[in-house]
Amino acid sequence: MTRTPALLAVLFAALCVVPTADAAAQGAAPAQKPQQKSAAPKPFTPMDPLVAIQKANDYFNSATTMIGDFVQIGPDGRRSEGKIFVQRPGKLRFEYAPPATLEIVADGLSVAIHDRKTATKDVYFISQTPLKFLLKDKVDLQRDVKVVDVQSDPNSVAIQVEDTATFGGTSEIKLIFDAAKFQLKQWRVTDPQGYETVISLFNVDLNKKPDPNIFQLTQERLPNTNN
């Protein structure tokens, strides 16, 4: 709130009032005890990378389901949002809210990217996608991908991994966790061409189970095996 000059003057005057010797002798204003200084905050100590990786593994392996809201920022800066549903192992669904027309569904073996506007659908093996390791039955980051960097600050922990087996070449994924609760709140995917997509998660529910029917592909599975 912006304080007016008059209010600032009153506050300044009140802080500058000091009882005179006569007033103190008459007991008009008892002297106040000096306030004790609060302890200085402890310096931040970065989380040990191996501890961070284990916490990430524990987070992914502690729950097999997830329902939440997401906001996506594409390489061109466009913002889209929708709902995300996960049923591990292997099943995932992104439902984009209008005006976006995309729908992404993984049924356990394949991932279909469906554009409702153009009525086209591209289908790939899950093993070709950059987030395949998050859909495994048992997640082990150091075994499944190459961990290239771990950074932490008082608010978040970021684990950057590299996957050389994705469609088109090597992808980089940065997983960002809340430092206090160590819950996944964002990931950033950089594709082999260097384009970055950012997904932020909100209102995540790890207890409610998605309807299994939403992970079904609507047509015969025809995986794209081109590299």
Side-chain angles (χ1 to χ4, degrees), residues 72-222:
Q72 173 179 309
I73 307 298
D76 57 359
R78 292 186 180 181
R79 182 183 187 275
S80 53
E81 59 187 55
K83 300 283 292 187
I84 180 174
F85 306 86
V86 177
Q87 174 75 63
R88 293 179 38 241
K91 297 179 180 180
L92 174 144
R93 183 183 184 93
F94 282 97
E95 287 186 357
Y96 288 82
T101 59
L102 285 180
E103 182 179 80
I104 301 175
V105 181
D107 68 350
L109 293 175
S110 304
V111 179
I113 304 175
H114 177 214
D115 190 328
R116 297 186 297 272
K117 182 178 180 179
T118 60
T120 58
K121 178 177 291 187
D122 295 318
V123 186
Y124 305 88
F125 286 118
I126 286 179
S127 60
Q128 295 176 292
T129 65
L131 292 177
K132 61 181 180 291
F133 65 93
L134 297 183
L135 297 178
K136 296 183 65 174
D137 185 35
K138 180 73 173 178
V139 176
D140 185 336
L141 294 179
Q142 288 184 295
R143 179 194 62 196
D144 301 332
V145 289
K146 179 182 179 182
V147 178
V148 296
D149 192 26
V150 179
Q151 296 183 356
S152 59
D153 59 40
N155 299 315
S156 63
V157 178
I159 302 176
Q160 185 168 338
V161 303
E162 190 176 85
D163 190 348
T164 59
T166 55
F167 179 77
T170 299
S171 294
E172 294 183 355
I173 305 111
K174 179 177 285 188
L175 305 167
I176 302 176
F177 298 84
D178 173 79
K181 298 181 179 180
F182 217 90
Q183 294 179 344
L184 183 65
K185 63 180 183 178
Q186 185 183 93
W187 68 77
R188 298 169 178 255
V189 179
T190 304
D191 69 16
Q193 288 72 44
Y195 295 109
E196 182 183 72
T197 299
V198 180
I199 300 283
S200 300
L201 299 178
F202 306 92
N203 306 319
V204 173
D205 187 337
L206 299 178
N207 298 313
K208 186 176 180 180
K209 294 184 178 180
D211 179 352
N213 293 321
I214 68 174
F215 303 114
Q216 295 181 1
L217 303 187
T218 57
Q219 69 180 37
E220 184 180 359
R221 187 185 302 115
L222 296 172

